[in-house]
Amino acid sequence: METLAVDGADRVLEIGGGPGVAASIVCDRLETGRMLLIDRSATAIERTRRWNPEHMSSGKLSLETIDLRDFEARGRRFDKVFAVNVNVFWTTRATEELARVREALDPGGRLFLFYETPSAGRADEVATRVAEALRANGFAEPEILTPAPELLCCVSRVGAS
């Protein structure tokens, strides 16, 4: 969460939120900001709903059961978009998925892709593939961070720099 550096007014989108643990931590830091969590799994969405009743009732957290490739921002803009261990960004070119992220990011907004990796070699492979997908889809050269052992984060913005 230190890497994500959530500000109290941030508008945050989480892709593939799993059980909702990260959403809970992010929402605890929000004051006027809001968070939308999307996941293609109805089970994951229900787990998030159960894990975060106070954030749901306060309006800080909204949930949508949808695959990223089908997500439409519909005018919503986000300061930060993040995903944890969402493989589509390193196992494919993620062209449709990254187009959806580009549409959702506010100018100057940032994309954070976190991966838990079993080894340094695997981390290098993931970082290389993610960077290639980002560059191929209109994102700036990513900053590669290692905020903890076996944790990799690729951070990028839309555009050339």
Side-chain angles (χ1 to χ4, degrees), residues 22 25-27 31 71 73 86 92 105-106 114 118 132 144 153:
I25 296 167
V26 168
C27 287
E31 295 165 13
F71 175 70
V86 174
T92 73
L105 269 174
D106 199 53
F114 294 92
E132 288 170 356
I144 308 299
C153 181

Side-chain angles (χ1 to χ4, degrees), residues 90-104:
W90 78 273
T91 60
T92 73
R93 285 298 225 190
T95 301
E96 291 179 46
E97 293 84 358
L98 287 168
R100 301 301 185 177
V101 171
R102 276 196 322 272
E103 293 167 7

Side-chain angles (χ1 to χ4, degrees), residues 16 21 26 33 48 56 63 65 76 90-91 96 102 110 136 140 155:
V21 175
V26 168
T48 299
M56 295 293 301
L63 307 173
T65 305
R76 296 174 287 188
W90 78 273
T91 60
E96 291 179 46
R102 276 196 322 272
R110 293 181 295 161
V155 183

Side-chain angles (χ1 to χ4, degrees), residues 14-144:
E14 182 178 7
I15 301 163
V21 175
S24 180
I25 296 167
V26 168
C27 287
D28 284 344
R29 296 175 183 208
L30 294 175
E31 295 165 13
T32 59
R34 298 288 177 260
M35 179 173 181
L36 172 62
L37 182 149
I38 64 171
D39 199 300
R40 64 184 179 192
S41 165
T43 301
I45 291 293
E46 186 53 35
R47 285 182 187 146
T48 299
R49 187 180 320 282
R50 286 194 312 262
W51 188 272
N52 292 281
E54 69 285 352
H55 298 310
M56 295 293 301
S57 64
S58 73
K60 282 185 185 180
L61 178 61
S62 299
L63 307 173
E64 287 186 29
T65 305
I66 193 164
D67 191 287
L68 175 58
R69 67 180 26 215
D70 299 320
F71 175 70
E72 294 180 14
R74 295 187 308 271
R76 296 174 287 188
R77 292 291 193 188
F78 300 92
D79 304 298
K80 294 177 178 155
V81 175
F82 78 99
V84 179
N85 293 328
V86 174
N87 291 337
V88 70
F89 298 112
W90 78 273
T91 60
T92 73
R93 285 298 225 190
T95 301
E96 291 179 46
E97 293 84 358
L98 287 168
R100 301 301 185 177
V101 171
R102 276 196 322 272
E103 293 167 7
L105 269 174
D106 199 53
R110 293 181 295 161
L111 171 62
F112 298 78
L113 300 175
F114 294 92
Y115 293 95
E116 296 172 295
T117 58
S119 68
R122 193 64 166 174
D124 290 343
E125 176 187 1
V126 170
T128 297
R129 288 184 178 185
V130 169
E132 288 170 356
L134 290 169
R135 286 191 300 267
N137 287 287
F139 284 81
E141 185 67 30
E143 181 179 4
I144 308 299

